[in-house]
Amino acid sequence: MNCFIETEKDSHFPIQNLPYGIFKTNDNPAPRAGTAIGKYILDLSVLESNGFFSEVFKSRKNVFANSDLNLFMSLGSEVRKNIRKILQNILSSDNPALKENDSLRQLCLIDSVKCEMCMPVTIGDYTDFYSSKEHATNVGIMFRGKENALMPNWLHLPVAYHGRASSVVLSGTDIIRPKGQTKADDAEMPSFGPTRLLDFELEMGFFIGTGNKLSAPIPVDKADEHIFGMVMVNDWSARDIQKWEYVPLGPFLAKNFATSISPWIVTLEALEPFKTKKVIQDPEPLPYLRSKGDWAYDIKLDVSIKTEKLKAPFILSKSNYRYMYWDICQQLAHHTVNGCNMRTGDLLASGTISGPDKSSFGSMLEITWRGTEPVKLPDDEERKFLLDGDELTITGWCQGEDYRVGFGEVKGKIIPAV
Ligand code: CA
């Protein structure tokens, strides 16, 4: 696929990607939809108003001129696929429509350094799964011992909890150290104050494009048609608050103070070439959870930390999304199997993604084994959990033969409790 805009081999945004996001500029502060291409953002609202998408959108107006992608997402996977074809055609070296139209190009092709990314979606509901077997096993061993690491339900259903959509924030938003109630094992009474065990969680999430009616479950083999695309997620967690509060109803204030997402949503079409074989599920899930395809996505994941002292970011973990035990279609089928309805813009996250060994664990809790094995950083620094001033960055990409389909990054800096 030849694009008239040159992209570097390690660029996350070649013509094979074309993710969707919302951005604004100084010249035009109205948030609007764009796609990333190399170092540029292509303003889709300008292309729309110039009639490039009229064949697909028909009489619909201003699909890309909104401050979120929800209307576009609600139009379904066929519309999305058709828009992708048009975009790849517009950007192709053989097509003069944009390539040789200087005035149009100046209007719609904007250097990304001049753009500020905005929240891409108005999120109605947010659910966080717990779908990495390695993560669930690690946490289980730490809290319950090796014999009872996985709860009896874990291999039979994708465990999850309902999070808060209100505190999902865009990459780059500072994370204020939350306060809460904790209780040390040897203390008689709980105490209140800033969390001392602030952690990140390496996750990915997917957005619902088209939902389902109440009482009308989404079957597992139709689930992908309802999914718009994926983002990187950091589910910030306060381990000491979590430990005291989670019995018996699960995570609450230890989780809902902030969840960061990356600004670009990578579509399932862009991820399609990177399907790989999924881990074997044993025991076989119940029929409603049996996927038609036996695939996972091969997405390389990197977590790095930058402290106030460190000169360059330090890699904390290298993982891969293909380690997930439950896939996105199973998660969505399970979430709706009781009739629960999804709506356009709902966010469903994977849960912490951990690989088979310490170099691929997805949280400080696991990397430092509850703080008992601190991470050694350059210049004699070490970390058990995150300190004020630390900046965490998660990035992910699929590696093609001579190109990447990437997610950009999700980052956040810890600032002191107020
Ligand atoms: Ca989580």
Side-chain angles (χ1 to χ4, degrees):
M1 232 176 298
N2 276 323
C3 180
F4 74 83
I5 299 161
E6 275 188 33
T7 50
E8 306 280 337
K9 268 186 175 178
D10 60 353
S11 167
H12 279 204
F13 307 119
I15 192 170
Q16 290 91 343
N17 192 348
L18 303 180
Y20 293 98
I22 296 288
F23 75 102
K24 59 184 180 182
T25 50
N26 277 342
D27 297 342
N28 178 1
R32 55 213 190 263
T35 187
I37 179 75
K39 293 174 181 153
Y40 297 92
I41 289 179
L42 186 60
D43 187 332
L44 298 178
S45 70
V46 172
L47 291 180
E48 183 183 4
S49 62
N50 278 272
F52 281 88
F53 309 129
S54 51
E55 226 174 88
V56 180
F57 290 157
K58 305 267 173 6
S59 59
R60 251 186 224 98
K61 296 267 186 298
N62 295 331
V63 174
F64 286 132
N66 302 304
S67 58
D68 61 36
L69 292 167
N70 292 51
L71 172 58
F72 176 55
M73 293 163 81
S74 73
L75 300 179
S77 57
E78 281 313 306
V79 165
R80 190 181 70 233
K81 286 173 193 170
N82 287 330
I83 295 296
R84 177 178 171 84
K85 279 186 204 140
I86 293 171
L87 287 175
Q88 288 188 326
N89 187 274
I90 292 171
L91 290 167
S92 136
S93 312
D94 312 325
N95 187 344
L98 182 59
K99 185 185 173 188
E100 281 160 29
N101 186 336
D102 289 349
S103 58
L104 178 63
R105 230 177 41 243
Q106 271 165 21
L107 272 178
C108 72
L109 204 57
I110 307 162
D111 193 328
S112 60
V113 297
K114 291 183 181 161
C115 301
E116 183 187 335
M117 297 308 295
C118 310
M119 199 66 180
V121 176
T122 299
I123 303 172
D125 278 295
Y126 162 48
T127 299
D128 196 16
F129 283 88
Y130 190 57
S131 289
S132 154
K133 190 177 175 188
E134 286 80 2
H135 173 69
T137 304
N138 287 339
V139 174
I141 292 172
M142 277 183 251
F143 289 93
R144 289 182 299 275
K146 216 163 197 161
E147 306 309 307
N148 308 302
L150 280 186
M151 287 296 197
N153 59 5
W154 200 94
L155 292 170
H156 298 281
L157 58 89
V159 169
Y161 69 94
H162 284 115
R164 288 286 302 177
S166 62
S167 52
V168 178
V169 296
L170 194 68
S171 173
T173 307
D174 284 340
I175 304 301
I176 301 168
R177 181 177 295 273
K179 290 179 183 168
Q181 199 179 118
T182 59
K183 185 182 161 300
D185 286 338
D186 54 359
E188 228 167 80
M189 292 286 287
S191 57
F192 178 81
T195 174
R196 278 174 292 204
L197 307 183
L198 186 54
D199 203 351
F200 71 89
E201 286 190 329
L202 161 61
E203 302 198 16
M204 296 198 65
F206 65 90
F207 278 106
I208 300 298
T210 52
N212 58 308
K213 288 203 174 73
L214 188 65
S215 310
I218 297 173
V220 69
D221 57 5
K222 295 257 188 268
D224 54 352
E225 293 168 24
H226 292 262
I227 297 170
F228 181 79
M230 299 188 72
V231 289
M232 308 297 308
V233 176
N234 183 348
D235 181 31
W236 304 96
S237 300
R239 301 298 179 195
D240 42 0
I241 297 172
Q242 184 179 0
K243 190 181 172 211
W244 174 231
E245 75 171 4
Y246 89 103
V247 184
L249 289 188
F252 186 37
L253 303 179
K255 298 284 189 176
N256 65 11
F257 59 94
T259 303
S260 302
I261 64 165
S262 55
W264 292 109
I265 308 176
V266 177
T267 63
L268 294 195
E269 291 73 63
L271 295 175
E272 183 69 26
F274 304 99
K275 279 181 174 173
T276 182
K277 213 165 166 50
K278 197 167 81 178
V279 295
I280 292 163
Q281 293 183 316
D282 181 25
E284 189 178 23
L286 290 172
Y288 81 92
L289 283 172
R290 284 177 207 158
S291 288
K292 63 178 169 187
D294 187 19
W295 47 264
Y297 292 116
D298 185 354
I299 304 171
K300 296 173 199 308
L301 304 167
D302 267 13
V303 183
S304 62
I305 189 172
K306 206 165 176 307
T307 70
E308 282 176 344
K309 227 170 129 187
L310 270 181
K311 288 173 189 76
F314 178 86
I315 297 280
L316 283 173
S317 178
K318 284 179 119 36
S319 190
N320 196 301
Y321 184 69
R322 75 182 142 85
Y323 296 135
M324 298 304 294
Y325 189 85
W326 296 103
D327 67 44
I328 52 179
C329 294
Q330 292 175 317
Q331 289 168 338
L332 183 52
H334 182 68
H335 203 321
T336 63
V337 74
N338 65 343
C340 175
N341 52 328
M342 296 288 130
R343 293 178 296 195
T344 299
D346 286 353
L347 173 65
L348 278 64
S350 58
T352 308
I353 304 161
S354 285
D357 56 54
K358 197 168 167 164
S359 66
S360 55
F361 288 170
S363 64
M364 293 298 277
L365 178 72
E366 294 162 273
I367 294 169
T368 72
W369 210 254
R370 249 175 143 174
T372 58
E373 300 165 24
V375 185
K376 302 269 180 240
L377 305 177
D379 298 331
D380 287 334
E381 263 194 298
E382 62 173 40
R383 284 292 180 280
K384 294 174 179 169
F385 289 90
L386 301 174
L387 299 184
D388 294 343
D390 289 353
E391 186 179 57
L392 224 286
T393 302
I394 301 176
T395 181
W397 71 94
C398 306
Q399 186 66 55
E401 213 158 272
D402 55 359
Y403 69 97
R404 284 178 175 181
V405 166
F407 289 79
E409 57 187 26
V410 55
K411 63 162 86 180
K413 188 174 179 176
I414 311 298
I415 60 171
V418 284

